[in-house]
Amino acid sequence: MKVIVVKDYEEVSAKAYEIMAELISNKPDCTLGLATGGTPVGLYKKLIEANKAGKLDFSKVQTVNLDEYVGIDYEHPESYHKFMNRNLFDHINIDKANTHVPDGGASDPQVACDEYNKLLASKTIDMQLLGIGGNGHIAFNEPGTPVDSVTHIVHLDERTIKDNARFFNNDMDLVPKSAMTMGIKNIMAAKKVLLLASGANKADAVFNTVEAKPTTKVPASVLQNHPDVTIICDEAAASKLTNK
Ligand code: GLP
């Protein structure tokens, strides 16, 4: 794992932009694995600015998203479909037919998971972007998720529901209790992984991911077994690392 520690959130976004923009420039038809949550938003803003300035072209880029809530309407502003459109896809020259988010609104979620696995099997993700949950989850793979998991339905941890309540008027009752997520095996199949972490509430998760022994109790720690992982964190998120 390569760990890059920068000053603050703005610098996390700038460094992540540098790395992702280099890939898109070198491989215009790349497949990006994309993430939601607050952390990637700064990076997405930079990708939008670069596209508007004519510096980055998304016309041949394909994307696959990590996860989606189950049990809220597709049109709900906090569905991850809407999140991706609002924070990235609506503002760049990507062909929406080339963007993919699991179908959390499917009448049969298990069939939708199977279809998403088929889609993933037909592609190679050149770079998978990840945030990290306060409990070390990646995508919605909560503690205990097996390493050989593929896209599946999950019941969200109490902590994840609490953490995500800020997107639902701070009302935990409004946060969906389950989701559809790529599994650890799907994530590990990406050629490169770029994980971003910002803020002191991620410090334990970052320490457990980077310096503790890999365990399924901290899903992100399993990334220690991936050959090409870069973690960009700000000083607050890196504050518990002993090796900086
Ligand atoms: C959600 C998403 C994850 C994300 C995590 C952290 O649970 N499913 O993909 O990494 O939130 O979000 P944030 O970046 O807002 O802290």
Side-chain angles (χ1 to χ4, degrees), residues 172-187:
M172 284 173 67
D173 289 342
L174 297 179
V175 183
K177 306 296 178 288
S178 52
M180 195 178 278
T181 182
M182 268 193 210
I184 303 287
K185 192 176 172 189
N186 302 122
I187 293 170

Side-chain angles (χ1 to χ4, degrees), residues 35-40 66-67 80 130-133 137-140 160 164 166-167 202:
T36 53
T39 311
L66 288 167
D67 47 14
Y80 285 169
L130 295 175
I132 186 168
H137 75 238
I138 44 177
F140 270 132
T160 303
N164 286 357
R166 68 191 194 280
F167 298 115
K202 303 293 172 70

Side-chain angles (χ1 to χ4, degrees), residues 124-128 185-193 226:
T124 301
I125 299 176
D126 291 290
M127 182 178 285
Q128 177 63 60
K185 192 176 172 189
N186 302 122
I187 293 170
M188 293 294 274
K191 280 195 195 163
K192 287 176 186 288
V193 174
H226 187 285

Side-chain angles (χ1 to χ4, degrees), residues 62-65 99-101 113-124:
Q62 306 222 19
T63 68
V64 283
N65 259 76
T99 68
H100 308 277
V101 181
C113 287
D114 296 345
E115 278 169 9
Y116 207 66
N117 281 321
K118 269 192 222 147
L119 173 84
L120 294 173
S122 71
K123 300 184 182 299
T124 301

Side-chain angles (χ1 to χ4, degrees), residues 53-145:
K55 287 192 229 156
L56 272 187
D57 175 27
F58 288 85
S59 60
K60 295 195 195 108
V61 171
Q62 306 222 19
T63 68
V64 283
N65 259 76
L66 288 167
D67 47 14
E68 176 59 289
Y69 289 116
V70 170
I72 52 169
D73 196 80
Y74 180 91
E75 291 301 320
H76 190 289
E78 295 307 332
S79 83
Y80 285 169
H81 282 87
K82 282 280 175 199
F83 175 100
M84 288 310 299
N85 286 340
R86 186 170 66 243
N87 288 293
L88 186 63
F89 301 149
D90 282 346
H91 313 288
I92 57 176
N93 72 328
I94 199 160
D95 179 351
K96 289 245 180 102
N98 288 339
T99 68
H100 308 277
V101 181
D103 186 3
S107 53
D108 188 335
Q110 188 51 52
V111 171
C113 287
D114 296 345
E115 278 169 9
Y116 207 66
N117 281 321
K118 269 192 222 147
L119 173 84
L120 294 173
S122 71
K123 300 184 182 299
T124 301
I125 299 176
D126 291 290
M127 182 178 285
Q128 177 63 60
L129 178 67
L130 295 175
I132 186 168
N135 61 2
H137 75 238
I138 44 177
F140 270 132
N141 292 288
E142 297 285 23
T145 307

